[in-house]
Amino acid sequence: MWGLKAVATSLLVCSVLGAQNFPPDFKFGSASSAYQVEGAWNYGDKTPSIWDVFIKNDPSVIIDHSNADIACNSFHDWERDVEIATELGLDYYRFSISWPRILPTGKQDRISEYGMKYYNNLIDALLEKGIKPVVTMYHWDLPQALQDWGGWLNPLISDWFENYARVLYSLFGDRVKTWLTLNEPIIFCELSFNTGKHAPGLASAGEGNYICNKNAMLAHAKAWRVYDKEFRGKQGGKVSLANQYIWLEPRTNSPIDVEATKNARQLMIGMYSHPIFSKDGGWPPVIERIVAEKSKEEGRFLSRLPGFTQEEIEVIKGTYDFLGFNFYTARAVNKAEDGVDVGEWPLSGSKDLDIQLTMNDEWNKTDAEWLVEYPVGLRRLLNWLKNEYGDIDILITENGYATNKTIIDDQARVNYMKKHLEQVLLAINEDKVKVRGYTAWSMMDNFEWCDGYSLRFGLYEVDFKDPKLKPKPRTSSHYYTNVIKHRSLDFDDTTSNIITDEL
Ligand code: NOJ
């Protein structure tokens, strides 16, 4: 009995001293978003968000015809969420604020007492446990009241967002020191206005998505500038956004595919990053040129991609304190053959660029059809970002693995996380990329947008049929707790190989 323990202990000591350690100031977190977990969709004076309306108008937009009226019940059970975050040993918990919960009209004329109380409780309870709140201002649940005025297609949205941001900084900025303005603008612009699969479901491919893209860049920038001007001095926090980056590689080594991939990266990464992080600002020139040419060929006088004025370029450029991004997957790129339909996904931009994005057969599949595993892509992406935008501090704001069944022993998720964390370590140690933190999506199963409750990303499992909605820890939660505790990947992994005295 003692022998085994001694062996285990010495193994542990040796391995902790190994090369797999994270820098001492590296931070580990986990994430959720308001609409996906809160429920209480019409509690108190909360008004409907575009997702409430989208689903209520047509429940069949969600694969299992479910909705997020209750979701994980986090609005009422925030204490349980803090307990889980504590059990995991998180350094920070990333959650989002529901715009219509805090500002029922979408404007700052009325601040909800219910909303303030809920977020104050959550923030204070996290801080009491030593867990930092990382707060996303917009994770897709726009107040319907603002959608009725055009939402992301109305240029005034950037002013509405600036005002909303100001309210959040003044209410919570004394305690929240890391802010993310927008979550995945590429997804809310593309899926809402290109394919129409996300709320508000207004497909206008090749136009709406580009208008939304421009307005989103301005909204982010104005929110950052308000902080910089009015709050940074007294609050001393940091503001950026959480982009979605899909790593892209050429399908073949042909110069045509290599060129197509360079352009595709500007489309999928650059359109939401170049205006903010590049030294010149503005749209990636190659995309601006191609869309203008295509628009002309279509007989239009104006490009479908609205330009920025020089003043707008300056307003947006440099509006970051770090670079945040969500990473899940990768695609192979090839130049589309003439006449080939590139499909609705990834983007109307694929049609503009005549490119095709496909999955590589060698990449492991998951239960989400869009999510193929390519961890090496994360390291390559980190290096690409450093080359493209410079040596900026990076926060990985999401990374996670999907299953379509309830399963407590989720080894596949453990492997996915481990492989991605290995690539993060290589990027830090070998390539000297300044990755400062990693966020596991998600803390517990939740409402996965159009996939409803059929896809699960949680470190904790939730049985949505059980009215108590009590999450159960999965193997991946134990694994992650160990990573955080040891601040290393090199520990005696009892999560997959439990040694007990009986052995
Ligand atoms: C990224 C989104 O931010 C999040 O809301 C979503 O649940 C995950 N991807 C998984 O699809």
Side-chain angles (χ1 to χ4, degrees), residues 9 82 167 197 203 338 341:
T9 313
V82 176
V167 169
K197 289 205 164 140
D338 277 351
D341 180 4

Side-chain angles (χ1 to χ4, degrees), residues 47-54 57 99-100 103-107 138 141-157 160 193 199-202:
T47 56
S49 75
I50 51 174
W51 274 90
D52 293 316
V53 173
F54 184 58
N57 281 347
W99 190 342
L103 297 180
T105 65
K107 313 279 178 58
Y138 183 72
D141 45 354
L142 189 74
Q144 179 63 34
L146 296 183
Q147 183 56 46
D148 294 343
W149 291 26
W152 286 102
L153 300 186
N154 183 337
L156 287 176
I157 186 91
W160 303 333
F193 303 112
L202 298 173

Side-chain angles (χ1 to χ4, degrees), residues 88-127:
L88 280 164
L90 300 182
D91 296 317
Y92 63 90
Y93 177 49
R94 176 184 170 213
F95 62 92
S96 80
I97 290 186
S98 157
W99 190 342
R101 192 181 295 290
I102 206 86
L103 297 180
T105 65
K107 313 279 178 58
Q108 78 279 30
D109 55 344
R110 183 151 53 89
I111 301 180
S112 164
E113 292 290 330
Y114 297 101
M116 272 194 297
K117 189 165 166 223
Y118 167 60
Y119 294 112
N120 274 330
N121 280 339
L122 180 59
I123 291 168
D124 290 344
L126 286 168
L127 286 171

Side-chain angles (χ1 to χ4, degrees), residues 12 19 26 45 158 256 324 348 427 461 477:
L12 192 69
F26 191 89
D45 51 359
S158 56
I256 292 185
S348 60
E461 176 162 302
S477 77

Side-chain angles (χ1 to χ4, degrees), residues 36 139-140 183-184 326 328 370 398 441 448-449 457:
Q36 295 178 273
H139 203 123
W140 309 352
N183 181 67
E184 298 191 344
N326 302 345
Y328 288 85
W370 58 270
E398 281 182 34
W441 182 272
E448 178 55 19
W449 308 108
F457 282 86

Side-chain angles (χ1 to χ4, degrees), residues 25 63 111 138 164 175 183 264 314 350 358 372 434 486 489:
D25 56 352
I63 219 164
I111 301 180
Y138 183 72
Y164 168 53
R175 288 152 293 152
N183 181 67
E314 297 305 325
S350 304
T358 48
V372 283
K434 295 201 265 187
H486 296 282
L489 296 182

Side-chain angles (χ1 to χ4, degrees), residues 371-389:
L371 207 175
V372 283
E373 272 186 51
Y374 191 48
V376 171
L378 176 55
R379 179 178 178 191
R380 294 191 181 157
L381 168 66
L382 286 164
N383 278 282
W384 186 89
L385 291 169
K386 185 175 165 192
N387 280 335
E388 192 76 4
Y389 304 127

